[in-house]
């Protein structure tokens, strides 16, 4: 597989290089030089999830890694199901939260961790990543205990749920966590700065596990096919897919699936009040406002770093940008939707509720909506309990983490401090 740097198209790398480097020169994102397409998507949809995922990822990676390696990566990483569950009239939720850390990020992080440890060999690596919530847990879990890989996770202090914090800040071992006094965008800026620091990069074998890493995005393509495969055959050409979006990695993966031939009528980019993208789709104006805190905190991102890939995909496929519908959902609308879903017998959480609300406003005629269930409701227990007047039991994975002490360090949003922290061994 060949990829090029979107900022410097003459910089070309293999999958292995792209996975190890994360970003290209000038923080450019890597993007595939060629987009594979399936001739017979219907046959693919008949396969089971794991076999189909091997076929999908082989289309990208078999030339470089060999099909057997791709197959063992997939079988190792995708060990849990993603059921499509009826949530209301005309709407299904693709539940992506049945993995070890109860969020969709398990798919990408587990695949990335296994790919990296296969590709890195004896080289020592430091994974540096910023999280607005669930990435941290998924990355920490996926890499915990891997030899030769040190993980440092930055997160905005006080802006993720206490339970989320417990899930990745209590492991110890090769996982170090840092509460940064700032927003998620500040954390992300620090990570980007570290990646521009060539000396540091060399010294500690810096790598990122953020959704900028192409391995994560490729893994996420697979569950979009699964969503359509689980729809009744008669509805497969009528699907509108709503993606609760923050950094837009998930939407990028959905568009990659479409470019491989998956029949999706339309994608909806659903955001909370951090609505840079919906405003941009409406006005053609890219204007980043200060990040505001919401209940759907994993989507509190106002400068989404995957957006250039979305535009590149549209260009490569000659899709007008209007292929993507933008929807910004207010806090109040999100709360009402969560309650409405619950009244219809479906228990959700704020992120998925935003995508569901976007579908409710958008579906027409015989269209059928699929919204992505990106996190388990219990991960957002405070909101869910309050809005639905419940006392949700904690799933086992959360209950165990909840009683462990936090092991995080604290830091100002200051690059020099981060640099010496990274250079200092544990
Ligand atoms: C990360 C996350 C999102 C946003 O996904 P992106 O790929 O960054 O757009 C949405 N919901 C939840 C629960 C998340 O953890």
């Amino acid at each position: 597989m060949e990829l090029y740097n979107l900022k410097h198209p003459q910089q070309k790398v293999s999958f292995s290089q792209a996975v190890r480097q994360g970003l290209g020169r000038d923080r450019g994102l890597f993007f595939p030089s060629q987009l594979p397409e399936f001739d017979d998507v219907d046959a693919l949809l008949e396969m089971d999830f794991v076999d189909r995922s091997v076929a999908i990822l082989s289309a990208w990676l078999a030339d470089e890694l060999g099909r057997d390696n791709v197959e063992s990566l997939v079988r190792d990483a995708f060990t849990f199901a993603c059921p499509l569950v009826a949530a209301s009239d005309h709407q299904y939720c693709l539940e992506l939260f049945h993995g070890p850390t109860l969020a969709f990020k398990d798919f990408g992080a587990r695949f990335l961790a296994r790919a990296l440890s296969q590709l890195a060999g004896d080289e020592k690596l430091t994974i540096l990543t910023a999280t607005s919530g669930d990435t941290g847990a998924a990355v920490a879990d996926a890499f915990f205990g891997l030899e030769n890989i040190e993980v440092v996770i930055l997160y905005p202090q006080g802006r993720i749920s206490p339970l989320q914090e417990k899930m990745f800040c209590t492991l110890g071992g090769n996982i170090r966590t840092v509460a940064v006094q700032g927003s998620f965008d500040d954390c992300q800026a620090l990570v980007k700065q570290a990646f521009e620091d060539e000396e540091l990069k060399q010294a500690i074998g810096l790598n990122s596990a953020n959704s900028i890493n192409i391995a994560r995005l490729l893994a996420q393509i697979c569950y979009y096919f699964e969503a359509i495969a689980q729809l009744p055959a008669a509805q497969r050409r009528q699907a509108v897919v709503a993606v609760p979006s923050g950094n837009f990695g998930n939407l990028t993966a959905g568009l990659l699936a479409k470019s491989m031939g998956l029949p999706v009528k339309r994608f909806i980019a659903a955001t909370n009040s951090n609505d840079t993208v919906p405003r941009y789709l409406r006005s053609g104006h890219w204007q980043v406002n200060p990040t505001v805190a919401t209940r759907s905190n994993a989507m509190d991102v106002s400068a989404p770093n995957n957006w250039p890939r979305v535009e590149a995909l549209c260009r490569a496929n000659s899709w007008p940008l209007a292929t993507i519908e933008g929807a910004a959902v207010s806090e109040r609308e999100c709360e009402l939707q969560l309650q409405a879903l619950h009244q219809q017998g479906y228990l959700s959480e704020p992120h998925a509720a935003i995508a569901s609300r976007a579908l409710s406003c958008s579906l027409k005629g015989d269209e059928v909506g699929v919204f992505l269930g990106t996190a388990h409701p219990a991960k957002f227990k405070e909101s869910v309990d309050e809005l639905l007047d419940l006392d949700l039991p904690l799933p086992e994975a959360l209950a165990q983490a909840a009683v462990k002490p936090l092991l995080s360090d604290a830091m100002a949003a200051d690059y020099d401090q981060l640099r010496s922290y990274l250079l200092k061994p544990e």
Side-chain angles (χ1 to χ4, degrees):
M1 179 185 189
E2 184 189 86
L3 302 102
Y4 68 94
N5 178 339
L6 282 174
K7 282 197 181 156
H8 295 282
Q10 67 281 14
Q11 185 188 9
K12 297 201 162 69
V13 294
S14 64
F15 172 74
S16 160
Q17 287 168 307
V19 167
R20 279 177 300 169
Q21 286 179 28
L23 284 168
R25 235 178 340 121
D26 283 340
R27 305 168 174 182
L29 297 166
F30 290 121
F31 189 81
S33 300
Q34 250 131 39
L35 301 171
E37 240 177 283
F38 285 108
D39 298 327
D40 191 353
V41 172
D42 287 327
L44 206 60
L45 292 176
E46 295 310 314
M47 299 167 83
D48 76 39
F49 178 59
V50 170
D51 288 341
R52 185 191 318 108
S53 299
V54 172
I56 291 167
L57 289 166
S58 291
W60 300 93
L61 301 175
D63 63 341
E64 189 175 328
L65 304 183
R67 197 181 158 101
D68 289 350
N69 275 332
V70 174
E71 168 142 15
S72 69
L73 288 174
V74 170
R75 290 197 186 278
D76 241 32
F78 295 173
T79 51
F80 43 91
C82 43
L84 187 74
V85 179
S88 71
D89 292 345
H90 311 294
Q91 288 192 28
Y92 295 87
C93 179
L94 182 68
E95 295 189 345
L96 300 171
F97 49 75
H98 297 288
T101 72
L102 310 175
F104 82 98
K105 293 189 171 83
D106 283 327
F107 283 94
R110 287 170 64 84
F111 186 77
L112 168 61
R114 281 153 186 78
L116 255 182
S117 66
Q118 189 181 99
L119 295 168
D122 294 335
E123 217 180 304
K124 178 164 167 41
L125 290 178
T126 304
I127 306 286
L128 174 65
T129 193
T131 183
S132 56
D134 291 336
T135 305
V139 167
D141 182 85
F143 285 92
F144 183 55
L146 286 186
E147 264 173 52
N148 279 337
I149 303 188
E150 178 85 13
V151 177
V152 176
I153 301 172
L154 310 184
Y155 64 99
Q157 185 171 52
R159 301 214 196 166
I160 68 175
S161 85
L163 269 168
Q164 270 183 326
E165 192 175 15
K166 287 280 187 171
M167 278 200 88
F168 69 96
C169 303
T170 55
L171 290 168
N174 62 330
I175 314 293
R176 288 197 286 170
T177 53
V178 183
V180 173
Q181 287 138 32
S183 69
F184 173 64
D185 289 313
D186 294 329
C187 297
Q188 195 154 261
L190 286 171
V191 169
K192 281 186 168 173
Q193 216 172 332
F195 274 90
E196 284 181 336
D197 186 336
E198 286 304 325
E199 200 188 307
L200 178 78
K201 248 165 102 173
Q202 294 301 326
I204 62 173
L206 199 58
N207 194 300
S208 161
N210 252 357
S211 58
I212 50 177
N213 197 300
I214 192 72
R216 284 183 41 165
L217 298 187
L218 295 182
Q220 289 173 237
I221 295 171
C222 300
Y223 53 66
Y224 285 92
F225 278 85
E226 180 66 4
I228 303 299
Q230 287 185 40
L231 280 176
Q235 295 184 328
R236 281 186 188 160
R237 311 269 148 188
Q238 295 304 327
V240 177
V241 178
V243 184
S245 294
N247 255 323
F248 285 81
N250 216 354
L251 182 71
T252 305
L255 292 168
L256 284 167
K258 182 177 165 75
S259 99
M260 295 185 87
L262 185 70
V264 172
K265 222 178 143 183
R266 155 169 108 252
F267 280 95
I268 304 180
T271 70
N272 58 30
S273 321
N274 297 287
D275 59 350
T276 307
V277 165
R279 278 187 290 107
Y280 171 69
L281 290 171
R282 217 171 38 240
S283 71
H285 234 65
W286 186 264
Q287 152 106 47
V288 175
N289 295 338
T291 310
V292 297
T294 72
R295 289 185 189 276
S296 50
N297 59 49
M299 293 157 60
D300 290 349
V301 182
S302 54
N305 60 9
N306 265 300
W307 189 255
R309 283 184 169 136
V310 171
E311 296 213 351
L313 261 168
C314 287
R315 276 198 307 276
N317 287 290
S318 306
W319 298 330
L321 212 46
T323 309
I324 305 161
E325 184 180 321
V329 173
S330 73
E331 205 68 343
R332 184 76 192 125
E333 290 166 331
C334 164
E335 294 167 2
L336 290 171
Q337 189 76 12
L338 190 67
Q339 288 164 341
L341 285 169
H342 190 237
Q343 270 157 21
Q344 293 171 80
Y346 188 73
L347 179 64
S348 193
E349 54 72 47
H351 303 75
I354 282 180
S356 170
R357 163 74 189 183
L359 283 175
S360 297
C361 298
S362 172
L363 292 179
K364 294 184 278 291
D366 54 3
E367 288 175 346
V368 49
V370 173
F371 61 95
L372 302 194
T374 45
H376 192 291
K379 283 192 100 166
F380 296 91
K381 178 174 164 57
E382 292 89 347
S383 279
V384 173
D385 282 358
E386 178 198 334
L387 293 168
L388 304 180
D389 197 17
L390 297 173
D391 182 11
L392 280 189
L394 288 187
E396 193 52 30
L398 273 175
Q400 281 173 10
V403 294
K404 293 189 190 161
L406 289 175
L407 302 173
S408 297
D409 299 306
M411 193 183 288
D414 175 75
Y415 182 63
D416 290 335
Q417 278 187 43
L418 175 65
R419 193 173 198 276
S420 38
Y421 182 86
L422 291 171
L423 285 167
K424 162 186 85 188
E426 265 177 278

